[in-house]
Amino acid sequence: MTVSRLQGSFNVVSGLWPLLHMRSFEAATGPKTDEWLVRTVSGLLIAIGMAQILSRDNPQNLVPAKLLGIGTAATLAAIDLVYVAKGRINKIYLLDAAVELSWIRHWLGKP
C-alpha cells in the first residue's frame, strides 16, 4: 500500500471519529467549544483522505496526492504544536503532531 493510501485511510478514520462519536473524541482530546469547526475539519479530512485513497500508482496522479499529503500533515502538525504550546488544546495533540510529521518524512522518502 502506498503512502498516499495509508495516509488517506488515516485521514478518513480521523475525520469520521468525531462525526460518529463526538463524546469519545472529546474524551480522548478534550472538550470542544465549537463542534461545528470540528465537524468542518472532519469533512475536509474525509475529502482529502478519499482523494489520496483513490489516487493511482503513477506519477501524474501521485503528485496531487503528495501535495495534499504534505500540505495537510504540515498544517495539522503546525496547529498541534502551536496550540499545545499556548495551552489551548490537550497535550495528546503532540501525538498527532508526531504522526503528521512522520507522514511528511514518508512522502520525502525518509521513513
Side-chain angles (χ1 to χ4, degrees):
M1 192 175 269
T2 65
V3 175
S4 181
R5 290 190 181 101
L6 288 169
Q7 185 185 20
S9 298
F10 179 81
N11 285 335
V12 168
V13 170
S14 297
L16 283 173
W17 182 15
L19 294 178
L20 296 176
H21 203 269
M22 183 66 80
R23 190 176 325 152
S24 67
F25 179 75
E26 288 183 311
T29 63
K32 304 296 180 251
T33 311
D34 295 321
E35 289 187 8
W36 67 270
L37 184 57
V38 174
R39 289 184 179 99
T40 300
V41 172
S42 292
L44 291 170
L45 284 174
I46 292 167
I48 290 166
M50 290 305 300
Q52 290 177 297
I53 290 167
L54 296 173
S55 70
R56 299 286 183 251
D57 290 330
N58 71 55
Q60 190 174 26
N61 291 332
L62 285 177
V63 169
K66 182 176 183 177
L67 290 172
L68 279 172
I70 292 174
T72 301
T75 300
L76 293 173
I79 293 298
D80 292 341
L81 294 171
V82 168
Y83 286 96
V84 166
K86 289 183 176 188
R88 295 285 313 267
I89 59 175
N90 194 306
K91 289 182 183 178
I92 193 71
Y93 281 96
L94 293 176
L95 179 59
D96 184 62
V99 171
E100 300 301 339
L101 293 171
S102 76
W103 290 125
I104 295 169
R105 289 179 56 83
H106 278 82
W107 276 115
L108 297 177
K110 302 174 184 180

